[in-house]
Amino acid sequence: MGAGVEEVTDEPLYRDRACGIDIGKAGMAATIRVPSDGDRRRRAQETRVFGTTKREVLALADWLRCWQVPAVVMEATGDYWKPVFYRLEAEGFECVLADARQVKNLPGRPKRDPSDSRWLAGCFERGAVTSCFVAAPEFRVIRLHTRYRRALTEERTRELQRVEKLLESAAIKLSSVLSEVHGVTGRDIMDHLIAGQRDPRVLAQLARTRARAKISQLQAALEGAEFFTADHAALLKVMLGRIDRITAEITALTGVIERLLAPFEEQLQQAESMPGWGRRTAQDALAETGPDMSRFPDGGHLASWAGRTPLDNQSGSRNGKAKAKKGNRYLAAALGETAVAAGRTQTREGARYRRIARRRGKLKAIVAVGNTQLNVYHKLLSNPGMRYQDLGPDYYDRQRDTRRQIAHHVGKLGALGYEVTLARIPDPEPHTTQAA
């Protein structure tokens, strides 16, 4: 028989006084939970509704001060949390942003703002909420610029593709000859088309530098220019004008970003030392993560936050198809570019990309190399002055040969009756200025 039922004392709450806020576009519901005046073992709560304007948020702050509530939690829904979070943070409150997946309400519960705020407050006081990463105030401004630059770049890419489609619809096969339609040669040809020139021989003679070796091919590709009407020319002129305006805006925006990130030149150079990374990628990554790597316990946490780790869907003994988890989409976009660029290099990361791409496909390789790059990125920024030093494209071959030799010698000693315990000899002079 059992020893009987024994009385236990409940574990103390993570937060003695807490507030949960469910935020909408124009209004929010806030619930405070504090110790009860009648019985200290019980909890008292109150829910109030506020607007999201400055005056209403300050009224919420005054109400929280009256109840001596030092910390608030809110769900990360859209961008509506930002003005409330930033205002309360400036008022001296500890603000915690909760991932929607952590604080998902139970099925069957009423889905209303007051009940959601009470649920948030209850989860928060029990310590069931892990704070999401929120950028420092100065990097919130930098993020706006880098993210807008990426949006403009994507819009310019779409416009470039529209130009190519327009030329194809007019039977001009320029893109089949020139690797860069919008280079010097391609742009000069399009300008002459807009001006009314239709002779393929004259247009082909506009080729510059390496394109002059393709003059005969250009002439053949431009023989359909008689289908290029004045209406095509007017539309092409509008498209090219928009491309030029976007390019000028991107250039101006890049100058602002350079000025804002000038105090973090060391971190930018550290990131640029990695294979596949350029100046713009380093700026985008630093704007998203900030220079303080202590906010991420290790490189694995950073990779998980960025969505560069696989997500296994499992039910019982069945393993579902693994896929990349959701994370910071701006950093993920930059890592997709750097992973493909690194895959073309003769480096350890290039070898990793090619090995995985052969066996599991390019998408898996992009995620895996992005994971590796973020681990290196975390290591670099955690050690000022450190630069990336590549381990070589034969790194995995050397590792495989080393494992084979170890297994061979351990097996031989085991056959002679010895029990082998392996321990790596520490490096007497560790390299403190290298990362790979």
Side-chain angles (χ1 to χ4, degrees):
M1 296 179 63
V5 178
E6 60 178 296
E7 294 185 359
V8 297
T9 303
D10 290 338
E11 292 291 330
L13 293 174
Y14 178 70
R15 298 279 182 177
D16 190 47
R17 296 174 179 269
C19 174
I21 306 176
D22 187 81
I23 304 175
K25 183 176 182 178
M28 57 181 170
T31 297
I32 58 169
R33 289 180 63 86
V34 298
S36 173
D37 293 334
D39 187 351
R40 303 297 293 182
R41 295 172 299 178
R42 306 189 66 180
R43 306 288 287 167
Q45 71 178 22
E46 181 183 0
T47 302
R48 290 189 182 182
V49 177
F50 298 88
T52 54
T53 60
K54 176 182 178 180
R55 181 179 302 177
E56 290 290 308
V57 176
L58 292 178
L60 168 62
D62 291 338
W63 181 54
L64 295 176
R65 291 191 186 98
C66 290
W67 285 98
Q68 300 178 359
V69 175
V72 298
V73 62
M74 59 194 74
E75 189 176 341
T77 51
D79 290 328
Y80 301 144
W81 62 272
K82 293 181 179 179
V84 179
F85 187 101
Y86 298 161
R87 181 72 61 186
L88 292 177
E89 184 183 52
E91 291 294 314
F93 291 93
E94 179 188 350
C95 297
V96 174
L97 186 66
D99 187 350
R101 289 174 296 182
Q102 293 184 24
V103 293
K104 185 177 181 181
N105 213 331
L106 293 176
R109 296 176 63 93
K111 180 61 179 171
R112 295 192 299 270
D113 290 351
S115 62
D116 281 351
S117 67
R118 289 192 287 270
W119 177 259
L120 283 170
C123 292
F124 190 40
E125 70 177 5
R126 294 192 299 272
V129 176
T130 302
S131 177
C132 294
F133 174 81
V134 179
E138 58 183 327
F139 277 88
R140 296 168 192 169
V141 178
I142 298 173
R143 270 184 170 188
L144 293 175
H145 290 77
T146 55
R147 290 179 176 184
Y148 185 54
R149 181 176 64 180
R150 177 164 289 275
L152 287 178
T153 303
E154 293 172 353
E155 179 57 34
R156 183 177 62 180
T157 301
R158 287 190 288 269
E159 204 65 34
L160 296 174
Q161 293 170 346
R162 293 186 186 108
V163 168
E164 183 177 349
K165 290 181 179 180
L166 174 65
L167 295 176
E168 289 286 339
S169 67
I172 297 177
K173 306 293 293 183
L174 200 60
S175 60
S176 62
V177 179
L178 298 178
S179 59
E180 179 54 62
V181 177
H182 294 272
V184 176
T185 298
R187 185 59 184 265
D188 204 4
I189 292 175
M190 287 187 286
D191 288 338
H192 279 74
L193 284 170
I194 293 172
Q197 180 60 255
R198 298 292 184 271
D199 189 343
R201 289 174 296 180
V202 175
L203 293 173
Q205 289 298 325
L206 297 172
R208 310 281 184 83
T209 61
R210 289 181 298 177
R212 293 201 63 83
K214 303 178 179 179
I215 288 181
S216 60
Q217 295 175 324
L218 277 174
Q219 183 174 337
L222 293 166
E223 287 176 352
E226 70 271 11
F227 289 102
F228 193 84
T229 65
D231 294 327
H232 286 95
L235 186 56
L236 179 59
K237 183 177 181 180
V238 172
M239 291 181 177
L240 294 179
R242 189 167 185 222
I243 291 172
D244 292 341
R245 289 193 299 272
I246 295 176
T247 301
E249 292 170 357
I250 292 174
T251 302
L253 204 56
T254 300
V256 176
I257 294 171
E258 288 282 356
R259 175 177 57 82
L260 293 174
L261 286 175
F264 308 98
E265 182 62 29
E266 169 61 21
Q267 289 84 353
L268 290 174
Q269 291 186 10
Q270 287 181 298
E272 286 183 75
S273 67
M274 299 166 57
W277 286 59
R279 183 72 174 183
R280 181 168 295 188
T281 304
Q283 291 172 344
D284 289 347
L286 189 61
E288 296 301 325
T289 65
D292 183 12
M293 290 295 103
S294 64
R295 305 186 71 177
F296 302 97
D298 53 39
H301 284 79
L302 176 58
S304 178
W305 173 77
R308 297 292 90 180
T309 53
L311 178 64
D312 292 324
N313 298 323
Q314 182 175 348
S315 177
S317 60
R318 178 186 62 81
N319 290 322
K321 183 179 179 181
K323 57 183 179 181
K325 64 179 294 186
K326 294 181 180 179
N328 185 300
R329 62 188 180 95
Y330 299 98
L331 185 55
L335 290 171
E337 298 168 359
T338 59
V340 173
R344 301 191 184 103
T345 62
Q346 294 301 316
T347 60
R348 176 221 172 183
E349 293 182 6
R352 178 170 172 78
Y353 178 89
R354 292 186 290 272
R355 290 174 74 249
I356 298 176
R358 285 194 300 267
R359 294 183 289 110
R360 306 188 64 188
K362 293 182 179 180
L363 294 180
K364 292 286 194 306
I366 288 174
V367 174
V369 174
N371 182 296
T372 301
Q373 290 180 332
L374 282 181
N375 277 274
V376 175
Y377 176 85
H378 186 278
K379 180 70 172 179
L380 290 173
L381 267 64
S382 299
N383 298 271
M386 181 180 286
R387 294 293 186 271
Y388 179 87
Q389 180 170 335
D390 187 56
L391 297 176
D394 59 343
Y395 169 77
Y396 294 102
D397 294 333
R398 297 199 312 268
Q399 291 291 99
R400 180 186 58 195
D401 294 340
T402 301
R403 287 194 297 268
R404 286 178 177 176
Q405 292 182 36
I406 292 174
H408 171 74
H409 292 304
V410 169
K412 287 292 186 181
L413 290 172
L416 295 174
Y418 291 92
E419 181 179 351
V420 180
T421 301
L422 300 177
R424 183 179 294 275
I425 300 175
D427 189 351
E429 296 181 359
H431 300 288
T432 60
T433 59
Q434 301 173 355

